[in-house]
Amino acid sequence: MTGRYGTLGAVHFVDVDFWPLNTSLYVQDFKGNDPRFIAYFLGALNLGTQVSAAAVPGVNRNHLHAMTVAVPCVCEQRRIAGILSAYDDLIENCQRRIKILDEMARRLYREWFVHFRYTGHESIPLVDSPLGPIPQGWEVKGVKDVAQVTYGFAFKSQQFNTDGIGTPIVRIRDIPKGKAETYTDEEAHPKYHIRDGHILVGMDGDFHMCVWSAGPALQVQRVARFEPTGAVGNHLLYLLLERPIQELNKSIVGTTVAHLGDSHIKEIKVAIPPAAMLSCINAALDPILEQVTVLKKSIATLRRTRDLLLPRLLGGA
C-alpha cells in the first residue's frame, strides 16, 4: 500500500485486514510474484517521482501502470525478500524491546512520582505544595533550578541541504523521528552542539520531545535543549518535563499554532525527592535509557545496512 497524497511513494506491507481510503493505492493481485519482494521492489522505485501535475501533487495510478520494470524469478524473489525481511524482523524486535523498556520506566515513575508509592512511603505524610500534596521532605523547584535550558541558533536556511554536506541540524520536524535529515556547512557556537542524551523539545506545534540518540548535530532556532545540572538524572528529567510540557501545549491559546516561550518554561515546577531517593530512582532509570539508546542506534545501523543492500539485491549485484 502507498499514499497518493502527502508522503508520496512510501510503500508499506500490510499483513492484516484494512479498509483503504481513496487517498491510497494498494495491490491485491501480485501476478504470481512474492508479495514481500514486491513491497521492497515498489519501495525502491521511488514512486513519489510519478506525480501528477494537478494543483495538489499526487501519485497517478495510470503513470504507474505505464512503467516497465524487470523482476527476477520467484525463487530469487523469495531469497531476496528473506534477506531483507531478516533485517526488518531485527528492527521490529528492537522496537518491541524499546516499547517494553519505556513502559517499565513510566510505570516506575508513576508509582514514585505520581502515586507516591515508594519504599517506606507509608510512614511519610503528604503536605501541601504549589503542585498539590507531596511527601514531606520533597521540594518544589523550577525547571531551571534542576536543568540548563538552551535555545537554538537561527541558521541561514539557504545553506540547508539534504545531501549530507556539513553537520546535521535538528529542526522541530526531526524531533518525533529522532533523526536529522537536513545539513548545513554554516559554523555555530559550541553551545548549539547536540550530543546523545540531550533532551530536545520543539517549541512550536505539538511540543514534541525526544532524548537525542542520533549522534552529533546542531540545534536550530525554536528547538529547546534541556540538560540536568544537579542530582536529577537524564531519564528522570525527561519524565518530569513530559506532563507539564504537554499541559502547556493544551493551555497556550490565541494562535493557530501553539508557541512555547521562555516565559512558559520558567513556569514549569517539578517535585524533587530527597537525595537518597533521587539516587535510587536514577540508578533504576538511567540504565533503561542507556539500553534504549543502544537499541535505537542498532535500529539506525540495521536500516542503513538494509537500505544499502536493497538496490544491490534488486539490481542483481
Side-chain angles (χ1 to χ4, degrees):
M1 181 176 64
T2 186
R4 292 173 58 203
Y5 303 102
T7 307
L8 301 175
V11 176
H12 304 274
F13 184 84
V14 184
D15 57 4
V16 296
D17 292 341
F18 66 97
W19 290 102
L21 295 178
N22 63 352
T23 54
S24 65
L25 294 172
Y26 61 97
V27 176
Q28 284 182 304
D29 183 359
F30 293 89
K31 307 294 185 183
N33 293 287
D34 182 80
R36 283 196 176 272
F37 170 83
I38 293 299
Y40 290 118
F41 184 77
L42 292 175
L45 291 180
N46 194 14
L47 300 181
T49 60
Q50 305 297 316
V51 297
S52 66
V56 179
V59 176
N60 189 312
R61 181 176 59 178
N62 294 326
H63 291 168
L64 301 186
H65 286 166
M67 294 175 66
T68 301
V69 296
V71 295
C73 67
V74 175
C75 290
E76 185 67 9
Q77 290 179 20
R78 290 172 181 156
R79 185 186 74 83
I80 293 170
I83 294 170
L84 297 174
S85 293
Y87 283 91
D88 284 337
D89 290 344
L90 288 171
I91 290 169
E92 186 178 345
N93 182 51
C94 289
Q95 290 171 332
R96 282 197 300 266
R97 291 173 64 188
I98 288 172
K99 187 175 180 180
I100 291 169
L101 289 167
D102 183 62
E103 182 57 27
M104 286 171 55
R106 291 179 184 279
R107 286 188 180 185
L108 181 60
Y109 174 80
R110 285 195 297 269
E111 282 294 294
W112 285 37
F113 285 80
V114 177
H115 304 303
F116 302 123
R117 293 194 292 250
Y118 49 87
T119 303
H121 75 277
E122 300 89 348
S123 60
I124 300 176
L126 297 181
V127 297
D128 290 335
S129 81
L131 295 175
I134 62 173
Q136 190 175 59
W138 288 43
E139 296 181 84
V140 173
K141 295 186 176 183
V143 69
K144 289 196 172 184
D145 294 326
V146 297
Q148 177 181 328
V149 185
T150 305
Y151 303 111
F153 179 68
F155 291 89
K156 297 175 183 175
S157 60
Q158 62 266 32
Q159 292 184 230
F160 293 171
N161 72 87
T162 57
D163 301 321
I165 300 171
T167 306
I169 58 171
V170 180
R171 307 167 79 178
I172 290 176
R173 66 188 183 190
D174 299 320
I175 292 175
K177 296 178 286 188
K179 63 177 182 178
E181 298 175 340
T182 312
Y183 295 75
T184 183
D185 55 7
E186 188 175 353
E187 295 294 328
H189 191 278
K191 76 174 184 177
Y192 300 116
H193 288 222
I194 294 170
R195 65 175 186 275
D196 288 348
H198 280 162
I199 298 168
L200 305 181
V201 178
M203 300 177 69
D204 296 323
D206 292 327
F207 304 162
H208 288 296
M209 300 175 59
C210 78
V211 178
W212 190 253
S213 61
L218 298 176
Q219 177 188 358
V220 79
Q221 191 178 31
R222 304 303 297 160
V223 171
R225 187 176 82 232
F226 294 79
E227 301 171 76
T229 54
V232 174
N234 210 51
H235 204 163
L236 176 57
L237 177 62
Y238 180 89
L239 294 168
L240 286 169
L241 286 170
E242 192 172 40
R243 184 173 177 181
I245 289 286
Q246 292 312 309
E247 286 177 348
L248 281 170
N249 180 258
K250 295 174 185 176
S251 65
I252 297 173
V253 295
T255 58
T256 304
V257 179
H259 299 284
L260 183 67
D262 184 66
S263 60
H264 301 116
I265 290 173
K266 286 178 178 176
E267 293 174 3
I268 297 175
K269 306 293 182 185
V270 293
I272 304 297
M277 184 176 170
L278 262 183
S279 179
C280 289
I281 194 73
N282 288 336
L285 290 177
D286 284 349
I288 292 176
L289 180 60
E290 291 171 7
Q291 290 182 62
V292 168
T293 299
V294 169
L295 288 168
K296 286 182 176 179
K297 287 184 175 294
S298 296
I299 289 172
T301 300
L302 288 165
R303 282 178 173 156
R304 280 197 302 271
T305 306
R306 180 201 61 194
D307 293 346
L308 285 170
L309 277 174
L310 185 60
R312 293 172 178 265
L313 290 171
L314 296 180

